Amino acid sequence: MVLTGRAGILAAAGVVFVALVMPSWSGVGLVVAVVLVVCVVDVLLAGSPRRLQFSRDGDTAVRLGEQAVVQLLVTNPSRRVRGWLRDAWPPSAGVLDPPHKLDLPSGERRRLVTHLVPTRRGDRQAARVTVRAFGPLGFAGRQGSHEVPWTVRALPPFNSRKHLPSRLARLRELDGRTALLVRGQGTEFDSLRDYVPGDDVRSIDWRATARRGNVVLRTWRPERDRQVAIVIDSGRLSAGRVGDAPRLDHAMDAALLLAALATRAGDRVSLLACDSTVRADVRRPAPQDVLPSFVNALANVEAELVQTDFRIVVSQVLERLGQRSLVVLLTGLDPAVIEESLLPVIGPLLRRHVVLLASVADPRLTELESSRADLLEVYSAASAARTRLDRDRLTATLTRAGVTVIDEPPDQIAPALADTYLALKKAGRL
Amino acid sequence: MSTSVGRSVGESWRVLRTPLLVTGLIVLAAIVVLIATSARTSGPFSPDSTESDGARALAALLKNHNVDVHSTETLDDAVQPGEGKVLIVGPAGSLDRPDWERIANAGWSHLVLIRPGSRALEVLAPGVQQTGNTLASRSREPGCDLPAAVKAGTATVSGPTYSAPSAAAACYGDGINNTVIRVEVGDRIVDVIGTPTSFTNEQLADDGNAALALNLIGTHQDLTWYLPQFESTDTGTGDDSGAPLIPPDVRYIAWALAFAVLVVAIWRGRRLGPVVAEQLPVIVHASETTEGRARLYRRSRARDRAAAALRESALAQLHKAHGIPRRADPSAVVATVAARTGWDPAMLYEMLYGLPPLTDDALMSLSDELDILTQEVRHP
């Protein structure tokens, strides 16, 4: 049961009545009785929120930062329902609409639209739908709730997709579709065609020329159908915030750009998100499914405050990769963790594959190092310098061990990773 | 499709039944206990109270001396015909002048007024007046020729004092301010006692207090012990007590107002559905460990470590900028940097390889110098 402001006004008027007209117990009793009778009659005449029927429809997934639209279909099989309807979602689902005003005559249905702009990645589940139906007098009413399940998945935003066109152009250059037909490392035989004046004479296939009678040229293309394994560390190294998002989110962004680029380059991409257990695992999807399956798998991955077990990472990667492949490890450059838990176990991986370690650098460290106004800032600068030196030392150690290291700030990490991939491809190291 | 949540009236009743029953029983038990115990501890100078300021000891003593003690808290018992009986009127209460007149007219043979106010004195003991002074607790001689007091001897008295007319017996005071006064009005004896604490459980055994109490009070076989409560038969009818401070209508308005407040509270208090809870991510800044280490450096005044880190960082930048080999000799590094920047070699050596700074100021100036040196490298 709910009351409205009118009931409050009626009770307040009752105070005036008692004060001026009937200052006695019977006056007080009269006021209480009138208010109670009016409210009870109103409640009895109000429509029933419990009998309403609901169903939902609309978006099930939305890129973080964009707007999802979820519709709620309300059917009223019984008496007219007049009042308010609140479609409740968790705060991070970002509901834009205030409670809906509802006036639903008997036997009719209405479509109510809720707009959501999720503020965090992951699944957002609808809480309950609450209806408050007032009686015809507007003094009191009934309230009831319904569970109408619906889930909107907020996918990783993939902000780095703006870098994709320029990298694809570089890839096409590499691919030979725009420029040279030069044989070299990182290329494989593509096809034979007739010689055209101006072609590089070194590419003439003399054996085919002898068979055909006219001069035939070999063409080359970059290696294709290589495997790329992207491993995202979802442990505590990825939990730290750089800028306004955890390292994990920047890492996902970089991983998606690399996946898009590698797919276009004809390589097979697989994904693994791992801390103490495997959190997301996508194995070699079809080229058109790469991005959808990746964003879906990553949508619910959150950084856990546990130490990543790199033995799992290594064994999982070795298990799924047969031929020589590129392994991209997105983690943090923490000397203690990497030296103690990654370096001892990375040997088998390095022997069979090309390993690339990408880490999001923190611009705040540069800031700390450069401001030296007072004593605390000098100590902060010294501390930041020590951190950077440790990272540099770790980078050198990893490079000596044969790992390619990328350590870039959040806005640079995705393009830097894409560029490194292109460079490796060009150099034929895949 | 949807499922309705929430409970119907029957379900609500089934769920709430047991808690309501338990709460009701607890409240009921509390009320019963309160009622059962209230008589025993009903305030100071009650014949049933065993507290230190009660008078159960005195009541028991009187009973041992064959005095029937009737305890009462209602005025009606105090205005019954009282020939040949004693009435003790306790210290609390809010009796009005007409109430005292009714007590006076009841015809008690002996009245004992414990710490009476001016209205009671005017009606029952004309001539006795409050002095406004208070005596400190001390053992005193009777100082009068009242037989009851003389027989009792010294008594420990304290409390408000009264002045007596010349015909009265005024005892236990300093001559002007007295704590025990006996006047005779017609054939009625009226005792005015300003020192109720002397007869409480705590002090009854001291001095001659018990004897004094028995001598004063135990004059008749039948004793009524009246503790006035906040009641009066006089409300609204007395002409000399003036108009009541709160008009009687206000109480009805207050009740109506309370009801209105309840209605408004229900109106504003009901939410449109429950608050939706969700798990929030932990927020850890990646630079937190670095900043924490800076504070540790500062707290332990680790100037040597800070200076070493700054120097190493500056050297790394210089190595990179000037193409100096990694394992170069310090003197070679200083010579190269001096040649490129034009700084004094001795000063450079002191800056890059010198002893750790001994004061915070030295650390600050070292940091500034290294900053300037590396800035030239960064922005040539």
Side-chain angles (χ1 to χ4, degrees), chain A residues 1 3 5 23 25 54 86 92 120 130 132 143 145-147 240-241 364 369 372 375-376 383 387-388, chain B residues 2-3 5 252 255 267 270-274 278-279 284 286-287 290-291 293-294 298 303 313 360 367:
Chain A
M1 190 184 120
L3 299 179
W25 285 119
F54 296 88
R86 173 180 171 230
S92 65
R120 275 195 296 127
T130 305
R132 179 176 287 189
Q143 182 166 315
S145 295
H146 291 257
E147 295 279 5
R241 282 185 176 241
R364 173 95 182 117
E369 211 179 336
R372 301 182 178 187
L375 190 63
L376 180 61
S383 177
T387 307
R388 197 170 50 76
Chain B
S2 60
T3 45
V5 290
Y252 307 116
W255 279 106
W267 163 40
R270 187 81 197 265
R271 211 183 265 118
L272 190 55
E278 71 172 328
Q279 289 206 318
V284 191
S287 59
T290 304
E291 283 166 20
R293 181 162 53 188
R298 185 183 167 169
R303 286 182 285 268
S313 159
D360 285 340
S367 146

Side-chain angles (χ1 to χ4, degrees), chain A residues 1-9 11-12 14-15 18-20 22-25 28 31-33 35-36 49-50 52-56 84-86 88-93 99 120 124-125 127-132 143-149 239-243 247 302 305 362 364-365 368-370 372-376 378-390 392 396, chain B residues 1-9 11 248-264 266-295 297-314 316-317 326 359-361 363-364 366-372 374-375 378:
Chain A
M1 190 184 120
V2 290
L3 299 179
T4 66
R6 290 189 199 180
I9 292 170
V15 176
V18 168
L20 299 181
M22 276 182 82
S24 64
W25 285 119
V28 175
V31 167
V32 172
V35 173
L36 284 183
R50 296 170 65 89
L52 292 177
Q53 286 161 4
F54 296 88
S55 62
R56 279 192 200 270
W84 294 96
L85 182 147
R86 173 180 171 230
W89 291 76
S92 65
R120 275 195 296 127
R124 298 286 162 262
Q125 278 163 354
R128 45 180 70 178
V129 174
T130 305
V131 178
R132 179 176 287 189
Q143 182 166 315
S145 295
H146 291 257
E147 295 279 5
V148 195
R241 282 185 176 241
V242 176
R247 278 212 171 95
E302 294 288 347
L305 294 181
D362 191 353
R364 173 95 182 117
L365 287 187
L368 284 178
E369 211 179 336
S370 57
R372 301 182 178 187
D374 60 26
L375 190 63
L376 180 61
V378 169
Y379 279 121
S380 298
S383 177
R386 174 57 63 205
T387 307
R388 197 170 50 76
L389 287 166
D390 287 347
D392 288 349
Chain B
M1 269 321 289
S2 60
T3 45
S4 175
V5 290
R7 299 189 287 247
S8 69
V9 178
E11 285 165 339
D249 292 356
V250 167
R251 108 164 71 161
Y252 307 116
I253 297 171
W255 279 106
L257 202 60
F259 177 69
V261 168
L262 180 72
V263 169
V264 171
I266 294 174
W267 163 40
R268 298 306 301 170
R270 187 81 197 265
R271 211 183 265 118
L272 190 55
V275 171
V276 185
E278 71 172 328
Q279 289 206 318
L280 292 174
V282 185
I283 293 183
V284 191
H285 290 282
S287 59
E288 237 171 48
T289 47
T290 304
E291 283 166 20
R293 181 162 53 188
R295 284 190 287 271
Y297 276 174
R298 185 183 167 169
R299 203 168 63 189
S300 55
R301 299 176 201 285
R303 286 182 285 268
D304 48 347
R305 286 174 185 279
L310 291 173
R311 279 172 172 159
E312 211 178 313
S313 159
Q317 290 178 46
R326 241 177 147 41
T359 62
D360 285 340
D361 289 339
L363 178 66
M364 295 271 295
L366 173 70
S367 146
D368 287 342
E369 285 166 4
L370 288 172
D371 200 31
I372 293 165
T374 50
Q375 238 160 32
R378 274 176 295 185

Side-chain angles (χ1 to χ4, degrees), chain B residues 4 9-10 16 68 71 74 87 90 112 147 149 159 211 227 239 245-246 249 262 272 296 298 341 363 378:
Chain B
S4 175
V9 178
L16 290 176
D68 290 336
S71 175
T74 52
L87 175 71
V112 181
L227 289 173
D239 48 358
L245 290 175
I246 300 173
D249 292 356
L262 180 72
L272 190 55
L296 277 181
R298 185 183 167 169
T341 58
L363 178 66
R378 274 176 295 185

Side-chain angles (χ1 to χ4, degrees), chain B residues 36-37 39 47 69 88 113 151 184 199 207 214 260 287 295 322-323:
Chain B
T37 57
V69 179
I88 299 180
L113 307 176
K151 268 192 265 177
E184 296 189 16
F199 305 141
D207 262 347
L214 278 178
S287 59
R295 284 190 287 271
H322 298 309

Side-chain angles (χ1 to χ4, degrees), chain B residues 8 19 39 54 84 94 128 137 179 189 207 256 292 311:
Chain B
S8 69
S94 63
V128 181
S137 180
T179 52
I189 304 169
D207 262 347
R311 279 172 172 159

Side-chain angles (χ1 to χ4, degrees), chain A residues 30-105:
Chain A
L30 187 67
V31 167
V32 172
V34 165
V35 173
L36 284 183
V37 164
V38 166
C39 290
V40 166
V41 165
D42 222 18
V43 167
L44 291 177
L45 292 179
S48 166
R50 296 170 65 89
R51 297 235 185 95
L52 292 177
Q53 286 161 4
F54 296 88
S55 62
R56 279 192 200 270
D57 193 9
D59 296 338
T60 54
V62 63
R63 207 170 258 164
L64 190 66
E66 293 175 7
Q67 182 175 291
V69 178
V70 177
Q71 287 146 359
L72 183 68
L73 202 64
V74 194
T75 313
N76 183 11
S78 63
R79 255 199 322 253
R80 179 190 189 112
V81 170
R82 233 165 24 85
W84 294 96
L85 182 147
R86 173 180 171 230
D87 188 7
W89 291 76
S92 65
V95 175
L96 300 178
D97 314 85
H100 303 279
K101 211 168 164 53
L102 192 68
D103 187 357
L104 194 55

Side-chain angles (χ1 to χ4, degrees), chain B:
Chain B
M1 269 321 289
S2 60
T3 45
S4 175
V5 290
R7 299 189 287 247
S8 69
V9 178
E11 285 165 339
S12 303
W13 168 240
R14 270 196 295 282
V15 169
L16 290 176
R17 195 165 47 182
T18 314
L20 281 178
L21 199 67
V22 171
T23 316
L25 280 177
I26 289 173
V27 170
L28 205 67
I31 291 172
V32 166
V33 168
L34 272 178
I35 290 173
T37 57
S38 61
R40 308 214 174 282
T41 57
S42 63
F45 214 68
S46 162
D48 293 321
S49 170
T50 52
E51 307 275 318
S52 61
D53 62 351
R56 192 177 169 85
L58 178 56
L61 203 60
L62 288 166
K63 272 177 197 157
N64 287 347
H65 285 77
N66 295 322
V67 177
D68 290 336
V69 179
H70 309 287
S71 175
T72 180
E73 290 182 355
T74 52
L75 184 59
D76 293 341
D77 292 339
V79 297
Q80 64 193 350
E83 282 83 12
K85 296 178 185 174
V86 188
L87 175 71
I88 299 180
V89 183
S94 63
L95 296 185
D96 280 317
R97 195 186 176 89
D99 302 323
W100 291 113
E101 278 166 359
R102 287 175 65 195
I103 292 173
N105 295 334
W108 299 93
S109 301
H110 184 186
L111 270 171
V112 181
L113 307 176
I114 309 295
R115 213 196 273 162
S118 58
R119 271 193 294 235
L121 291 175
E122 273 174 41
V123 176
L124 294 172
V128 181
Q129 278 177 343
Q130 287 172 306
T131 58
N133 299 326
T134 307
L135 281 188
S137 180
R138 191 156 72 77
S139 182
R140 289 176 191 276
E141 291 290 332
C144 63
D145 51 3
L146 183 65
V150 174
K151 268 192 265 177
T154 57
T156 307
V157 295
S158 63
T161 58
Y162 299 88
S163 63
S166 53
C171 314
Y172 296 105
D174 52 9
I176 304 157
N177 306 310
N178 307 288
T179 52
V180 175
I181 292 171
R182 169 167 287 185
V183 290
E184 296 189 16
V185 184
D187 55 353
R188 182 168 66 228
I189 304 169
V190 178
D191 289 343
V192 174
I193 295 175
T195 169
T197 51
S198 304
F199 305 141
T200 56
N201 296 337
E202 188 180 18
Q203 293 190 6
L204 190 65
D206 300 349
D207 262 347
N209 290 1
L212 177 62
L214 278 178
N215 294 342
L216 280 176
I217 300 165
T219 52
H220 294 81
Q221 291 291 308
D222 198 323
L223 186 147
T224 303
W225 194 307
Y226 172 48
L227 289 173
Q229 302 299 304
F230 288 91
E231 62 164 349
S232 171
T233 55
D234 184 40
T235 310
T237 56
D239 48 358
D240 56 340
S241 60
L245 290 175
I246 300 173
D249 292 356
V250 167
R251 108 164 71 161
Y252 307 116
I253 297 171
W255 279 106
L257 202 60
F259 177 69
V261 168
L262 180 72
V263 169
V264 171
I266 294 174
W267 163 40
R268 298 306 301 170
R270 187 81 197 265
R271 211 183 265 118
L272 190 55
V275 171
V276 185
E278 71 172 328
Q279 289 206 318
L280 292 174
V282 185
I283 293 183
V284 191
H285 290 282
S287 59
E288 237 171 48
T289 47
T290 304
E291 283 166 20
R293 181 162 53 188
R295 284 190 287 271
L296 277 181
Y297 276 174
R298 185 183 167 169
R299 203 168 63 189
S300 55
R301 299 176 201 285
R303 286 182 285 268
D304 48 347
R305 286 174 185 279
L310 291 173
R311 279 172 172 159
E312 211 178 313
S313 159
L315 271 173
Q317 290 178 46
L318 292 172
H319 274 283
K320 209 164 145 191
H322 298 309
I324 307 168
R326 241 177 147 41
R327 296 177 191 283
D329 199 46
S331 54
V333 174
V334 169
T336 316
V337 176
R340 298 280 175 91
T341 58
W343 286 44
D344 177 32
M347 204 177 92
L348 273 177
Y349 191 87
E350 177 58 33
M351 265 169 65
L352 293 172
Y353 298 101
L355 293 171
L358 294 173
T359 62
D360 285 340
D361 289 339
L363 178 66
M364 295 271 295
S365 63
L366 173 70
S367 146
D368 287 342
E369 285 166 4
L370 288 172
D371 200 31
I372 293 165
L373 181 64
T374 50
Q375 238 160 32
E376 284 181 14
V377 173
R378 274 176 295 185
H379 313 288

